[in-house]
Amino acid sequence: MRNFVFGILTGFLFLALTVVIFAVALVRLASRPVSVPNNAVLVVRLTGDVPERPGVTPPVPIPFIGGAQSATVRDYWDLFRKAAADKRVRAMVVQPDGLASGWGKLYELRSGIEKFRASGKPVYAWLRSPNTRDYYVASAADRIYMAPEGALDLKGMRFEMTYIRGGLDKLGVDVIIEHAGKYKDAPEAYTRTGPSQPSLEMTNSLLDGLFGQLTETIARARNKTPEEIRSIIDQGPFLAGQAQGAGLVDELKYEDEVFEAMHKRLGIAKPPHIAAADYMKVTPDSAGIAARSRIAFVAASGSIVQSASDDLFGDGLGFISASEMRPLLKQIREDRGIKGVILRIDSPGGDSFASDQIWHDVRLLAKQKPVVVSMSDSAASGGYYIAMCGGPVVAYPGTFTGSIGVFYGKANLRGLYNKLGITKEIISRGRFADIDSNYAPLTPAGREKLASIVQETYQTFLQRVADGRNMEVAQVEPVAQGRVWLGSQARENGLVDELGGIDAAVELVKEKAKIARSEQVRLIGYPARKSFLEWLTRRSSEPAGDILGKLRSISTAQWLRGSYFYLTPYILEVK
């Protein structure tokens, strides 16, 4: 028996040692420097949602795990900048396929392609069966090719809003809301069976703005008028031949034929290809970019929470955790080698108290170093709150921002408990001890108490915005009320300073940090990407008993216990 147990233990130890050796070998293999051949064609395949915050990607694909998007928006910004300056790179073929990012990130990707193209190097786009987002990005290329048997799903835009009040009524669940701002009835999905008039007004305004930006961009790219593009879109979706006939694509070719066309354009029989994932490992120096000054690029991405445990692979992509952000901002504040900071926000908001804690630390950072805010797909409600550090704010034309408001929400499950035959007995001391109980309705006095807290929290938000934007509260109030704005609309209302992306933020940081405009800078990403070995040996920074750690966005846990939110009215997804 002893020999059997000893054999089992020896086998497990041998297996563990083999895994560690294999992992180390893979990491070393993945970290080997990349050699860029002369006359290279850069091949950029874009798919899924491009994240802001770096996660952990295995050195090689692993079944059910490998293949996830690992390159960030900052990685692509750096890629296009290096490739434009690198004399070894002669051209680029971009292949968008199933992009799912918001319109801020898509604008950034498209701008990067345009910047590469402005260097005088040709860009071809090849589309298999593209969606609207794929086509929007591809329209920045010199020529657009499409698979002969593909289909272009370009037919306009829509918002879909789901309301579950009727279902909750059948279950005996009552969601209790107190909110400040007529557009801030955030949980309408839980309290109504359809949109309110303010919600319809806001949604139509957002949709009109986004659709206008889409048609104008495509019109410029295809040498047509916006009216012509609107008329064409009304005929969509398109088969490949129909898309070509409408002037949306230039030629129908298979992938190998597109590369043959590029080779002919370059006058080279078989130029070498290099994948974007490999070229990202190329240093700026070897690409001909000498960068001296270091700028911190802080990716604040996800719902704002007090704390959150690491996800699988420790990426934590879904949260902006105050417990993580605060020491990170302190680290940057004390690093003398950092000349300035770009706070990159992609968040619909979240916990109001966590938002205030992060805001405080961003303000402390802004007193030590120049800080510029760069808004991504969304920087609304709590995401907008933490941007109010007093520094310049840059947004994309299609960024969802604003939503200056607050609400309290909790669920009363007494009706559901009754249906299930479950009863509770509440014994309390204190007038409002049961105000957040999921078994007790709100009394008139309790609702009045909550309303007063919500209103006071809202006034704090208004004051934060007024201070951050050098405005009076009376000037902020008309554009607040919980209303979501597009970046272009927010610019007109004084809520952001400039329209643009990372390039615009870099120029503002250089100006504030007194760095010469002609000088190249290096963006240092925070939080840093974890290596595969770091993930293997990681220890969670959260207590093992913190079961709610992963549920701190708008989650069941928060609704059940009652919470105060700086959060957008709903998660806006454009289809």
Side-chain angles (χ1 to χ4, degrees):
M1 184 64 180
R2 290 175 56 188
N3 291 337
F4 175 76
V5 172
F6 179 76
I8 292 291
L9 292 176
T10 302
F12 274 121
L13 288 173
F14 178 76
L15 179 61
L17 182 61
T18 302
V19 169
V20 170
I21 294 173
F22 181 66
V24 170
L26 288 177
V27 169
R28 289 185 176 178
L29 181 64
S31 61
R32 291 174 60 184
V34 174
S35 175
V36 181
N38 291 325
N39 298 316
V41 175
L42 179 62
V43 182
V44 182
R45 294 183 171 89
L46 299 165
T47 185
D49 182 21
V50 182
E52 293 289 350
R53 174 173 173 165
V56 175
T57 302
V60 296
I62 297 176
F64 309 110
I65 295 174
Q69 179 64 257
S70 61
T72 65
V73 174
R74 180 179 64 86
D75 290 331
Y76 281 108
W77 174 84
D78 199 44
L79 171 92
F80 294 129
R81 182 179 68 120
K82 290 186 301 186
D86 195 335
K87 295 180 180 179
R88 298 167 297 181
V89 177
R90 289 284 305 279
M92 180 166 66
V93 174
V94 59
Q95 299 178 340
D97 188 9
L99 277 169
S101 294
W103 295 92
K105 295 174 185 174
L106 297 176
Y107 184 103
E108 185 66 52
L109 293 172
R110 195 180 186 284
S111 296
I113 295 169
E114 287 184 326
K115 188 167 186 177
F116 178 91
R117 185 179 169 188
S119 69
K121 302 175 182 181
V123 180
Y124 285 0
W126 184 69
L127 303 170
R128 184 177 286 107
S129 283
N131 60 32
T132 299
R133 289 172 166 83
D134 298 332
Y135 184 78
Y136 172 82
V137 172
S139 67
D142 293 279
R143 293 185 65 79
I144 302 177
Y145 296 92
M146 190 169 165
E149 297 303 319
L152 171 57
D153 189 18
L154 177 65
K155 57 183 183 296
M157 292 179 167
R158 72 180 186 270
F159 283 150
E160 291 187 5
M161 298 172 284
T162 303
Y163 298 86
I164 62 173
R165 168 65 186 272
L168 294 177
D169 286 344
K170 292 180 180 180
L171 293 173
V173 176
D174 181 28
V175 176
I176 301 165
I177 300 297
E178 281 295 329
H179 65 93
K182 66 178 181 179
Y183 298 98
K184 197 64 178 186
D185 194 3
E188 282 190 352
Y190 304 94
T191 61
R192 297 176 61 90
T193 56
S196 63
Q197 189 57 42
S199 177
L200 278 176
E201 175 193 344
M202 178 177 67
T203 304
N204 277 295
S205 175
L206 295 172
L207 196 55
D208 285 341
L210 283 176
F211 190 57
Q213 292 171 17
L214 175 69
T215 54
E216 289 169 11
T217 300
I218 295 175
R220 286 195 304 270
R222 304 305 296 174
N223 294 317
K224 297 180 183 295
T225 66
E227 292 72 25
E228 288 175 317
I229 293 299
R230 286 174 184 264
S231 178
I232 291 172
I233 288 176
D234 283 342
Q235 309 305 313
F238 307 90
L239 294 175
Q242 296 169 335
Q244 184 184 24
L248 296 174
V249 301
D250 295 296
E251 294 185 58
L252 305 182
K253 290 182 180 293
Y254 293 100
E255 183 178 10
D256 60 305
E257 295 173 332
V258 173
F259 282 104
E260 288 174 8
M262 176 61 81
H263 301 167
K264 190 175 296 184
R265 167 86 176 259
L266 297 176
I268 304 172
K270 286 187 177 181
H273 298 175
I274 183 168
D278 291 327
Y279 190 75
M280 285 178 184
K281 301 172 186 176
V282 172
T283 63
D285 288 340
S286 67
I289 298 176
R292 292 182 297 172
S293 298
R294 299 166 69 238
I295 302 296
F297 188 91
V298 183
S301 176
S303 298
I304 299 173
V305 299
Q306 290 287 351
S307 62
S309 300
D310 282 347
D311 291 36
L312 178 65
F313 277 95
D315 54 31
L317 296 179
F319 304 102
I320 302 172
S321 167
S323 64
E324 178 191 34
M325 282 291 293
R326 298 187 68 195
L328 195 68
L329 294 171
K330 183 175 184 290
Q331 175 189 341
I332 297 169
R333 191 169 74 237
E334 296 174 350
D335 189 338
R336 295 183 178 181
I338 297 295
K339 298 289 186 68
V341 181
I342 295 175
L343 177 60
R344 177 75 171 183
I345 301 174
D346 187 18
S347 173
D351 186 291
S352 62
F353 304 121
S355 299
D356 191 67
Q357 292 171 20
I358 295 171
W359 168 84
H360 175 70
D361 282 84
V362 174
R363 289 276 291 184
L364 290 177
L365 177 60
K367 292 178 181 179
Q368 298 290 326
K369 301 178 188 292
V371 175
V372 173
V373 173
S374 173
M375 295 178 169
S376 181
D377 289 341
S378 176
S381 208
Y384 188 76
Y385 189 106
I386 66 176
M388 295 296 98
C389 61
V393 178
V394 181
Y396 298 104
T399 296
F400 292 132
T401 190
S403 191
I404 302 163
V406 61
F407 74 91
Y408 171 93
K410 83 157 191 172
N412 177 14
L413 304 182
R414 187 175 190 127
L416 176 60
Y417 286 147
N418 289 341
K419 290 178 183 292
L420 297 175
I422 299 172
T423 58
K424 281 188 176 184
E425 185 69 29
I426 300 176
I427 302 173
S428 63
R429 300 292 184 273
R431 186 181 180 192
F432 299 119
D434 64 351
I435 199 170
D436 56 354
S437 169
N438 67 6
Y439 195 69
L442 279 177
T443 64
R447 186 173 286 276
E448 184 178 345
K449 175 68 174 178
L450 289 177
S452 67
I453 295 175
V454 167
Q455 286 296 329
E456 185 172 339
T457 308
Y458 179 50
Q459 292 302 316
T460 298
F461 199 164
L462 291 175
Q463 190 63 58
R464 295 283 190 260
V465 175
D467 294 341
R469 301 301 302 157
N470 295 316
M471 300 166 67
E472 299 294 329
V473 170
Q475 295 174 286
V476 177
E477 175 68 22
V479 295
Q481 295 290 331
R483 178 159 183 164
V484 179
W485 303 98
L486 293 179
S488 55
Q489 298 167 334
R491 174 68 179 83
E492 294 173 359
N493 290 320
L495 297 178
V496 305
D497 296 290
E498 289 191 20
L499 296 180
I502 297 175
D503 281 338
V506 167
E507 292 307 311
L508 284 170
V509 167
K510 287 165 67 174
E511 179 183 334
K512 289 173 65 66
K514 295 180 171 45
I515 299 171
R517 293 192 63 180
S518 59
E519 183 180 333
Q520 298 287 349
V521 297
R522 182 183 175 196
L523 300 189
I524 309 299
Y526 293 87
R529 184 186 299 274
K530 292 182 180 178
S531 71
F532 190 58
L533 283 180
E534 285 175 325
W535 173 77
L536 286 175
T537 58
R538 81 194 191 286
R539 290 186 179 180
S540 175
S541 59
E542 303 296 334
D546 187 13
I547 300 174
L548 298 182
K550 295 181 182 294
L551 303 173
R552 292 292 182 86
S553 59
I554 285 299
S555 63
T556 304
Q558 281 184 297
W559 282 113
L560 294 181
R561 72 168 186 263
S563 294
Y564 296 91
F565 300 105
Y566 292 142
L567 195 78
T568 48
Y570 31 72
I571 303 302
L572 295 167
E573 182 178 359
V574 185
K575 295 185 178 180

